[in-house]
Amino acid sequence: MNEKDKWVDGIRIYCETLLEINKQILKLVAMDCIDSNGNMEKTFIDISQNIIRLIPCNISRNTCEVVLNTREGILDFISDLEFLKSDYEIMFSNNKETLYKIKFIRNKTEHIPHKLRARSSGSGNTSFSDIKFEFEEEKVKIDSKSIIKIVIELNNIFTKIISRLNTYRYSLDEKHHDHPYFKKYGELNFERFNTILNGDSLYDISKIIQEF
């Protein structure tokens, strides 16, 4: 693989992270805020940390607004995957409020986790749950509905990435088409997750997962 095609191997960690996020969401949806309160808190935090790995951003000290960092993470491949910049900017613009909360939670859990406290949570027989975190005087309430919206948009972007990976795959000579790397990552189907996340059976599927 030449220097120009480093993105082909580089996207692996981001694909793995998005797979993990989708699995975490499917677990989260049907969690009970009473019986699984500790697991719910941990899952919200884990999802927050993973989303920031895929959406590099910072909270400005001057404006206290969340800002997309287009020079880090997967956005390092903007020159290779030309749709990344516009797709990420649109996704970021659509979800700034939620991303601020996610980045806030992620920052506190990285630097001073003992000061971040989950004060309340809610759930029910729907596809949505929520949890309130407090850090000193600041309170942040985040819900699974807002997170799912971001994950659906990420799945759409990564569907394009996998399509581009397969275009590259079949531009190679035939003996390389079935390399284990291409079979594993070229056959990822993030649209399948979106079918579940957008569907009426999301809660039932999550409930089944809880039971195994």
Side-chain angles (χ1 to χ4, degrees):
M1 188 180 302
N2 59 42
E3 184 76 19
K4 181 176 178 294
D5 300 319
K6 279 191 172 181
W7 70 270
V8 173
D9 180 67
I11 62 167
R12 170 175 46 185
I13 183 63
Y14 304 109
C15 289
E16 295 284 358
T17 301
L18 185 55
L19 276 174
E20 182 64 21
I21 291 172
N22 278 283
K23 293 174 184 177
Q24 290 166 335
I25 284 288
L26 292 180
K27 291 179 181 178
L28 174 66
V29 166
M31 278 186 183
D32 186 277
C33 67
I34 298 175
D35 295 334
S36 302
N37 185 267
N39 285 336
M40 183 182 289
E41 176 185 348
K42 182 180 184 303
T43 304
F44 266 108
I45 290 173
D46 288 346
I47 291 171
S48 296
Q49 291 173 332
N50 276 330
I51 285 178
I52 296 304
R53 291 189 182 105
L54 291 185
I55 309 175
C57 55
N58 300 305
I59 295 177
S60 169
R61 292 184 178 180
N62 295 327
T63 65
C64 292
E65 290 186 354
V66 66
V67 180
L68 183 66
N69 189 333
T70 57
R71 297 183 179 181
E72 291 186 356
I74 194 169
L75 295 179
D76 190 43
F77 301 127
I78 282 176
S79 60
D80 304 293
L81 304 167
E82 73 288 342
F83 56 85
L84 273 186
K85 187 174 188 296
S86 61
D87 284 7
Y88 257 74
E89 286 176 346
I90 291 169
M91 173 187 61
F92 185 80
S93 177
N94 290 340
N95 300 281
K96 284 187 75 171
E97 182 178 350
T98 303
L99 286 168
Y100 172 85
K101 296 176 181 179
I102 290 172
K103 180 64 174 177
F104 173 87
I105 293 168
R106 186 264 182 192
N107 284 355
K108 302 312 176 189
T109 54
E110 180 181 17
H111 299 295
I112 35 178
H114 62 284
K115 290 188 177 182
L116 184 73
R117 302 184 185 279
R119 289 302 188 189
S120 63
S121 58
S123 63
N125 59 348
T126 67
S127 300
F128 311 120
S129 55
D130 61 75
I131 190 165
K132 182 187 290 182
F133 289 95
E134 292 183 5
F135 173 77
E136 296 177 347
E137 300 302 317
E138 189 161 3
K139 299 177 177 62
V140 170
K141 186 175 183 179
I142 191 164
D143 62 82
S144 59
K145 182 178 182 180
S146 299
I147 293 175
I148 288 170
K149 183 173 179 287
I150 293 174
V151 175
I152 287 171
E153 294 189 53
L154 281 170
N155 285 338
N156 287 333
I157 293 172
F158 272 74
T159 295
K160 289 185 180 181
I161 293 173
I162 298 305
S163 176
R164 186 64 60 87
L165 177 67
N166 282 319
T167 298
Y168 176 87
R169 173 185 184 180
Y170 291 108
S171 72
L172 303 174
D173 56 77
E174 189 172 351
K175 70 177 182 179
H176 290 104
H177 291 179
D178 292 327
H179 187 281
Y181 180 85
F182 290 123
K183 288 184 69 67
K184 179 175 181 178
Y185 295 99
E187 295 174 12
L188 289 176
N189 187 343
F190 291 106
E191 290 179 309
R192 183 179 300 152
F193 285 110
N194 276 358
T195 299
I196 296 172
L197 295 177
N198 283 312
D200 295 332
S201 300
L202 174 57
Y203 181 85
D204 293 328
I205 291 171
S206 180
K207 193 67 176 176
I208 291 170
I209 292 173
Q210 303 297 322
E211 295 171 354
F212 288 93

